[in-house]
Amino acid sequence: MGPQTDIVGPLIELGTSPAGAPAWIIRDYATVKKLLTDERINRFPHPDVLDPPRFTTAEILQFKQVNQGGPPPPDDLIRRMVATSFSPRRMRGMEPQVNAIVRELIQDMRRAGPPAEIRSALAEPLSAHVISELLGIPADARAAVREWSDASVDLTNPARSAAADYELKALMNDLVEEKSKHPGEDILTDMLRFSDQEPELCGRDLVIGMAAGLRFAGQINTVTLIDRGLYLLLTHPIDRLRLTDPKVLEHAVEEILRFPHPVQRRIAGVPRYARADIYLGDVVIREGDLVILDLDDANVDPSVFADPESFCPARSENPHMSFGYGPHYCVGAALARLELKAVFGNIFGLLPELRIDGDPEALEPRRHQLSGGVMTLPVTWARG
Ligand code: HEM
């Protein structure tokens, strides 16, 4: 009898990672979902493999073993460290504050008058402020940290991303020293507490790496989703003022999360390394191989989503995988949803005549960051 096949869907192909290494790309919803919970593939390469196929050239996006030679950290480690800090309940408590920040940023845009650029005037300052506040990053370091977070995930300039990764971790190192002497009411302090309780599982290096990861993840993905959401809402004929209705808003946000950016989709999905041979139809993924699970493609799989290539803000059945699935499900999902709702629920009331400034199809794609989107999103409106 031949090997048992693990295939659950038809779309798998040998491609390359953004770093140019050979990688299996999985595109169908059922297989992506299955592999996201499969113990035979892991986010970390096997510790004995000296030169695993690289996912990207950005240092901060390599999942390297901190514990060299030892087993990889348990899948639920990040969740155990920070899940309570980002729980939906805690995030709901932040709603008034996040709404106030959004409204203030939009008022600033109104005061300055049209035109404006959404990423720099609204999306970046919002997401950078919120995640810096949560991590306890001091006000005077925030502008630099915002820059480093953006540069650290540059896929096309290894020297730039390595320098930013270094600076980000150096700052986190100093903060960790500071917070261990003077604990605060912040997530870094929560992580240090966990590290003190579980030193074998989570040393200081891991706390520093995690803090840097949280900082860039809290900014980069959210900025792209704000950019994507406004692009979609402004290029489709929908009643945007109805987004003040919480149910309408909730469905629209989930559809924005599902729908790949029309200008530049994600550059690649999420990476994993095979820890055993896996048989998918007539393909054998060998132990050690790099596997990329393409969430954007899974999100338009016609066997799961009706009319998947249409942006339907009222879609009610929407089991998208934009935040992943299983043990690594995004810990920042509740925070991201909160920020997206604050933006799309407020902006059209304050700027009812908002529109893209220029031809939406001529906008420059953002190809140097995994999350895609556009380089800039210029908008304008009639002065009130
Ligand atoms: C709309 C914005 C966001 C999107 C689309 C997004 C997407 C994702 C995805 C797809 C994963 C799973 C990765 C995998 O399986 O390997 C993930 C994990 C993660 N995300 Fe997000 N994310 C967003 C916002 C955030 C925010 C705001 C934070 C920080 C507060 C954050 C922190 C993390 C962390 C730490 C993980 C790793 C979780 C783990 O491995 O257990 N994300 N995110």
Side-chain angles (χ1 to χ4, degrees), residues 278-290:
I278 301 173
Y279 296 88
L280 295 179
D282 50 8
V283 167
V284 189
I285 296 177
R286 293 284 176 209
E287 182 178 351
D289 284 359
L290 175 59

Side-chain angles (χ1 to χ4, degrees), residues 36 43 75 78-79 86 131 214 217-218 221-222 225 257 270-272 295 321-324 327-332 335-336 340:
L36 280 170
R43 171 180 283 174
D75 275 329
I78 298 180
R79 192 149 302 279
F86 286 104
I131 189 69
L214 275 172
N221 285 322
T222 316
L225 262 291
L257 281 161
V270 296
R272 294 289 188 270
L295 305 179
M321 282 195 286
S322 286
F323 290 123
H328 291 292
Y329 183 80
C330 177
V331 289
L335 175 62
L340 298 177

Side-chain angles (χ1 to χ4, degrees), residues 101-115:
I101 299 170
V102 167
R103 294 180 74 83
E104 188 52 37
L105 287 165
I106 299 171
Q107 294 294 8
D108 287 347
M109 282 168 60
R110 275 169 53 140
R111 275 190 286 272

